[in-house]
C-alpha cells in the first residue's frame, strides 16, 4: 500500500518551511539544492530541489522552490486533526498570521472544533480537534 505525501511548490521554500515548523512544531528533516543534487552552477544552484519537513507530531511533506512561473494555492486543502482544542487553536492562530481566516476555529454543530484559513503563502488549511477532554 502506498502513502500520500503532499508536495508544495514555493517561491521561497526555506522561508515557507520555517513558517510551518514555527507554526505547527517540527523540523526540516532534509534539504537539497539544485547545485548539490544536479551540479547546477546557474541561477538555480541555491534553489531548493527537495526538502522534507516533519510537522505536527511527525506528519511529513515535501517542498521545493519553483523554477518556472506558477500560481500560489490550488483547489487542495491540507488538514491536521489535533488531539485537543488548545493544540488546534494554537496552530490555527500561528498559521493565520499574515493570512486570511475563512472560518474561525470553534465548536461546530457536527461535534468537532474546526477552523479554515489560507496562510500567507496561499495554502488552504483545515484545522480540527475532536471533542475530547483537555489533559489536566
Amino acid at each position: 500500500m502506498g502513502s500520500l505525501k503532499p508536495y508544495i511548490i514555493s517561491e521561497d521554500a526555506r522561508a515557507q518551511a520555517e513558517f510551518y515548523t514555527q507554526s505547527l512544531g517540527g523540523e526540516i528533516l532534509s534539504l537539497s539544492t539544485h547545485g548539490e543534487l544536479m551540479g547546477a552552477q546557474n541561477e538555480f544552484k541555491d534553489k531548493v530541489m527537495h526538502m522534507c519537513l516533519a510537522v505536527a507530531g511527525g506528519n511529513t511533506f515535501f517542498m521545493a522552490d519553483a523554477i518556472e512561473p506558477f500560481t500560489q494555492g490550488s483547489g487542495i486543502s491540507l488538514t491536521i486533526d489535533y488531539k485537543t482544542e488548545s493544540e488546534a487553536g494554537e496552530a490555527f492562530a500561528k498559521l493565520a498570521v499574515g493570512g486570511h481566516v475563512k472560518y474561525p476555529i470553534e465548536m461546530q454543530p457536527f461535534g468537532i472544533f474546526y477552523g479554515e484559513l489560507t496562510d500567507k503563502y496561499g495554502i488552504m488549511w483545515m484545522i480540527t480537534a475532536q471533542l475530547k477532554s483537555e489533559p489536566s
Side-chain angles (χ1 to χ4, degrees), residues 6 8-9 12-13 17-18 21 37 68-69 75 78 88 97 102-103 110 122:
I8 298 172
I9 304 301
D12 185 349
E18 180 65 23
T21 59
L37 293 178
E68 51 191 49
L78 300 178
V97 173
K102 184 173 180 181
Y103 301 112
F110 44 90

Side-chain angles (χ1 to χ4, degrees), residues 94-123:
K94 290 178 179 177
L95 283 171
V97 173
H100 171 74
V101 173
K102 184 173 180 181
Y103 301 112
I105 191 161
E106 58 191 14
M107 177 54 87
Q108 299 298 317
F110 44 90
I112 64 170
F113 293 97
Y114 173 86
E116 190 173 323
L117 63 90
T118 301
D119 71 25
K120 65 184 179 180
Y121 297 101
I123 302 296

Side-chain angles (χ1 to χ4, degrees), residues 65-131:
D65 282 323
I67 57 171
E68 51 191 49
F70 80 107
T71 302
Q72 283 188 334
S74 66
I76 295 174
S77 291
L78 300 178
T79 301
I80 299 179
D81 184 38
Y82 285 91
K83 292 182 181 181
T84 67
E85 178 187 1
S86 61
E87 288 177 308
E90 183 178 342
F92 188 89
K94 290 178 179 177
L95 283 171
V97 173
H100 171 74
V101 173
K102 184 173 180 181
Y103 301 112
I105 191 161
E106 58 191 14
M107 177 54 87
Q108 299 298 317
F110 44 90
I112 64 170
F113 293 97
Y114 173 86
E116 190 173 323
L117 63 90
T118 301
D119 71 25
K120 65 184 179 180
Y121 297 101
I123 302 296
M124 294 182 291
W125 293 89
M126 293 184 287
I127 305 296
T128 66
Q130 300 301 316
L131 182 58

